[in-house]
Amino acid sequence: MELRRFLRDRSNIFFVFIMPLLLVLVIGSQFGGDGSQGRVVVVGESTDLRDALVTEMEDDDVAVTFADADDAREQLARGRSDVAVLVSEDDAAAFTAGDTADIEVVLGSQAGAQATFQRVRTAMQAVATERNQLSALIDAGAEESAAATALAAAAETVNPPSLEVTNVDDISEAFAGSSGFDVGAAAETLLFVFLASLAGSATLIQARRHGVMSRTLAAPVSTGMAVAGQATGRFAIAVFQGAYIMIGTAVLFGVDWGNIALSGLVLVVFSLVAAAGAMVIGSVMDSEGAAAGVGIGTGLILAALGGCMVPLEIFPDSLQRIAHVTPHAWAYEAFAEIQRRGGSLTDILPQLGVLAAMAAVLLALGAWLLRRSLTRAL
């Protein structure tokens, strides 16, 4: 019933269905996108020069897209690409003739633009080296097709030098193998699940005001059971909100949630905490508007402190210890263990245990506060 009423409320369309995915898109685009080694937009028709450059960049794990000159500059201005490479017809003709080609490269203002430019430069040098080798063989009297075949065979038989990079920085190592979308999706899931639950604490206030809770407690049920019944509606909304974000980000942005069963378990336990917290607020406040304001404010503060707005790994040690008074920090760590390190159930048991304990304490507190408020009303 609660979930049905929640979905029928048109005011929830933007905040429940659009805003979470929009924030994940913004965070993912700003902090690493799809995990590639940069984003390059290429301008120009398909020629030997353009195709050779694209092949080299894609082999280096650079994300390459194509556009005309105006669209390319707009992508740079909006931060959708790091570097634009403009290959003109004159450049392509000069390359085919064995002459020097002056390719225009435009850098964006993003933090990773310089690093991406170095990869573009490396690709250009590789293409130029291959062209020079081909020209040298042709000048020595070899047929062009035979020279190209010989160079391709040599490239397959010679093992290129390899370079192994080891992160010594703790923060870099913590985020190794994950994209900005992965980190942002987990954080926004926790943020919006908690907000959706706490903002709905007004339903318990309405139930108290209209005498629903008094009539319920007149039946042979305990206060804890009554609170649990009310919390079930908030729990259903929280799970729906979290599942929607998880499925939406996986489909639209390719977010890797790791073991989906374990990620779902973390969502369920965290939703229990959020639903129980909503019952506490609904038991102590008498105004729906005030309860919604307190719920949203509390949700935002806990999310900020728990690593949902700035990654928990960036916090100093003292602030990380303080952050663990929030359920968000424990759920954030559980998601990180599953997504980035392929954690098992055993690895996240401490986080699940703490979250379950928080849910139990909040539910018991909500039952006591509800009984107290109803007794005072009588």
Side-chain angles (χ1 to χ4, degrees):
M1 180 65 71
E2 288 287 339
L3 180 58
R4 191 181 308 165
R5 290 173 55 190
F6 181 75
L7 294 177
R8 286 178 178 175
D9 188 350
R10 293 186 178 181
S11 64
N12 289 327
I13 293 177
F14 177 76
F15 292 101
V16 173
F17 296 102
I18 300 176
M19 190 172 181
L21 299 183
L22 187 62
L23 286 177
V24 173
L25 174 62
V26 171
I27 294 173
S29 300
Q30 188 68 26
F31 297 102
D34 58 1
S36 67
Q37 301 294 340
R39 300 163 298 172
V40 175
V41 55
V42 177
V43 178
E45 298 296 329
S46 177
T47 59
D48 291 342
L49 174 58
R50 194 204 75 168
D51 295 344
L53 285 174
V54 169
T55 299
E56 290 290 340
M57 288 188 290
E58 289 180 340
D59 288 345
D60 197 21
D61 200 24
V62 174
V64 179
T65 57
F66 303 95
D68 58 33
D70 292 336
D71 288 341
R73 288 186 169 85
E74 182 179 355
Q75 289 186 31
L76 290 179
R78 294 180 178 272
R80 297 173 184 169
S81 294
D82 301 317
V83 175
V85 178
L86 292 82
V87 183
S88 66
E89 294 181 358
D90 292 339
D91 296 332
F95 176 78
T96 302
D99 298 329
T100 301
D102 297 323
I103 301 175
E104 182 181 359
V105 178
V106 182
L107 275 67
S109 58
Q110 293 74 26
Q114 284 291 342
T116 304
F117 170 68
Q118 292 302 323
R119 294 184 178 277
V120 172
R121 186 176 180 180
T122 299
M124 290 181 174
Q125 291 173 343
V127 171
T129 298
E130 184 177 350
R131 170 57 65 175
N132 291 335
Q133 291 172 340
L134 182 62
S135 298
L137 291 176
I138 294 175
D139 292 341
E143 294 289 337
E144 182 174 353
S145 59
T149 302
L151 287 175
E156 292 179 356
T157 56
V158 176
N159 293 324
S162 60
L163 176 65
E164 182 178 350
V165 179
T166 302
N167 282 323
V168 296
D169 180 71
D170 292 339
I171 295 179
S172 298
E173 188 174 355
F175 292 105
S178 62
S179 71
F181 286 127
D182 293 342
V183 178
E188 297 310 311
T189 297
L190 300 177
L191 169 63
F192 280 94
V193 164
F194 218 75
L195 286 179
S197 293
L198 294 192
S201 58
T203 58
L204 180 55
I205 297 175
Q206 294 172 355
R208 288 164 47 205
R209 177 178 300 159
H210 297 150
V212 175
M213 292 305 301
S214 298
R215 292 192 296 271
T216 300
L217 292 175
V221 296
S222 65
T223 307
M225 293 175 61
V227 172
Q230 286 288 324
T232 300
R234 306 316 311 169
F235 171 73
I237 292 173
V239 171
F240 173 83
Q241 174 75 90
Y244 168 76
I245 297 175
M246 291 175 69
I247 295 173
T249 54
V251 173
L252 296 178
F253 310 125
V255 171
D256 182 8
W257 288 98
N259 186 317
I260 192 62
L262 292 181
S263 293
L265 180 59
V266 174
L267 170 63
V268 167
V269 180
F270 183 77
S271 297
L272 285 173
V273 181
M279 293 303 98
V280 171
I281 294 177
S283 298
V284 299
M285 304 198 72
D286 298 321
S287 169
E288 293 95 326
V294 169
I296 293 175
T298 302
L300 291 175
I301 292 173
L302 292 178
L305 188 59
C308 295
M309 298 183 183
V310 177
L312 200 61
E313 291 82 359
I314 299 178
F315 288 11
D317 293 340
S318 58
L319 190 54
Q320 286 192 28
R321 288 191 291 270
I322 296 174
H324 282 84
V325 303
T326 71
H328 300 68
W330 294 98
Y332 178 95
E333 287 185 347
F335 275 133
E337 186 68 35
I338 297 169
Q339 287 182 283
R340 305 176 205 166
R341 294 179 283 277
S344 63
L345 178 60
T346 304
D347 296 321
I348 62 172
L349 274 180
Q351 290 84 1
L352 292 178
V354 172
L355 290 173
M358 287 182 174
V361 169
L362 288 174
L363 189 60
L365 179 61
W368 179 77
L369 290 172
L370 178 61
R371 172 65 71 180
R372 182 170 175 268
S373 66
L374 292 176
T375 301
R376 291 174 58 185
L378 295 175

